[in-house]
Amino acid sequence: MSGESGGVVGRYGKHFMMERRDGVLLLRMHTGGGPAVMSLALHNAWGQAFQEVGNDPDTELLIITGTGDSWMAGLEPGLRERRPYREWTSEARYATYYDGLKLLENLVFSVDVPTIGAINGSGFHHELALVCDLTLCTPGTVFDDTHFPAGAVPGDGQHLVFQELMGLKRAAFSLYTGAGIDARQAAELGLVNEVVDADLLLPRAWELAETIMAAPRTTRRLTHAVLQRPWRRRLVDDLAFGRTHQLFDA
């Protein structure tokens, strides 16, 4: 996989745009060139793309971000109406369960290089950027999980990240109420490292990437392994448990 052809782009160009600089790969999700719209196809593509990124020997650092001013700009038309899951076939339910696990598992277990999440706005599945080694966000970003107020169990990954980074009591309050956490609060609570103006978000991510890339390759990769160890434990212990409960109740 090199440049902007072949590999992940060739297979998933409908969902991701890429830029590579000296071993640093920027993976930017989009829909039709604009902000990404949450869909079952994107849900599936994330896990597969992370698997391929992890297998790519030319990638030494990964930056993930979105397009425009939204991390994800709403749901694909008709997606919400596809519930309840119990009315789906067994194969369809399993595919949703599997993709929901691989969304995070393949980022944490398959990508063995330093990671930076550059969150460009509000939307679904912020956990993808929050489990990265470093995370930036824009001032207008709001973090939330509205599953419980909408009548569903919060078990698809955001809950797990909130528990790990904010603590159990703060996470419980956010999950039960659906209350949003603004960018300033997110930095204070340890969800993100820095809040950066939108026009400086990617330049700052590239700057941090350059700093990390100045270290020896072995040092970079083994430091990433140390930093991701708590996430690996958390995912093994809790991710499938939460996902199963969410789908059981849906």
Side-chain angles (χ1 to χ4, degrees):
M1 180 177 64
S2 60
E4 294 197 16
S5 63
V8 178
V9 172
R11 294 185 61 185
Y12 308 112
K14 180 179 179 181
H15 303 293
F16 305 109
M17 295 181 180
M18 294 193 180
E19 180 180 351
R20 186 191 296 283
R21 300 183 194 173
D22 300 322
V24 178
L25 180 67
L26 175 71
L27 184 65
R28 176 167 63 85
M29 60 179 165
H30 74 98
T31 298
V37 175
M38 183 58 195
S39 66
L40 293 178
L42 177 59
H43 201 243
N44 172 263
W46 266 120
Q48 294 191 37
F50 286 141
Q51 184 72 57
E52 292 202 32
V53 169
N55 290 336
D56 176 21
D58 294 326
T59 297
E60 293 294 337
L61 188 147
L62 175 65
I63 301 171
I64 62 174
T65 192
T67 299
D69 59 3
S70 297
W71 180 252
M72 288 190 189
L75 298 173
E76 179 183 59
L79 182 60
R80 195 178 301 276
E81 288 71 27
R82 287 176 61 88
R83 300 186 180 96
Y85 297 120
R86 63 172 55 93
E87 296 180 1
W88 294 14
T89 66
S90 176
E91 291 79 5
R93 289 198 303 272
Y94 175 73
T96 300
Y97 167 80
Y98 180 86
D99 288 345
L101 296 185
K102 295 306 175 183
L103 195 73
L104 273 177
E105 285 183 349
N106 285 356
L107 175 58
V108 172
F109 288 98
S110 298
V111 179
D112 292 322
V113 298
T115 52
I116 299 174
I119 302 174
N120 58 307
S122 300
F124 304 100
H125 289 295
H126 279 136
E127 69 269 15
L128 292 171
L130 295 177
V131 303
C132 288
D133 299 336
L134 299 175
T135 305
L136 315 173
C137 77
T138 55
T141 302
V142 175
F143 300 88
D144 59 24
D145 187 319
T146 58
H147 283 96
F148 187 83
V153 175
D156 67 350
Q158 185 91 318
H159 74 295
L160 181 153
V161 173
F162 278 6
Q163 288 177 326
E164 183 74 18
L165 296 179
M166 294 197 301
L168 297 179
K169 289 296 183 181
R170 292 190 183 97
F173 183 84
S174 181
L175 295 173
Y176 272 129
T177 65
I181 301 162
D182 64 29
R184 178 188 59 79
Q185 292 173 311
E188 292 174 351
L189 294 172
L191 285 174
V192 302
N193 298 104
E194 295 179 359
V195 179
V196 185
D197 287 343
D199 60 337
L200 299 176
L201 181 69
L202 287 183
R204 178 56 175 157
W206 285 109
E207 180 183 22
L208 289 169
E210 183 177 357
T211 298
I212 294 171
M213 289 294 290
R217 183 173 189 265
T218 301
T219 303
R220 297 194 307 264
R221 286 174 169 254
L222 292 182
T223 298
H224 171 75
V226 169
L227 295 176
Q228 286 290 299
R229 180 72 170 173
W231 288 122
R232 293 189 175 197
R233 291 196 185 100
R234 174 67 87 160
L235 263 60
V236 168
D237 288 345
D238 297 329
L239 183 58
F241 178 90
R243 186 66 175 152
T244 302
H245 282 64
Q246 183 189 51
L247 294 179
F248 175 85
D249 185 57

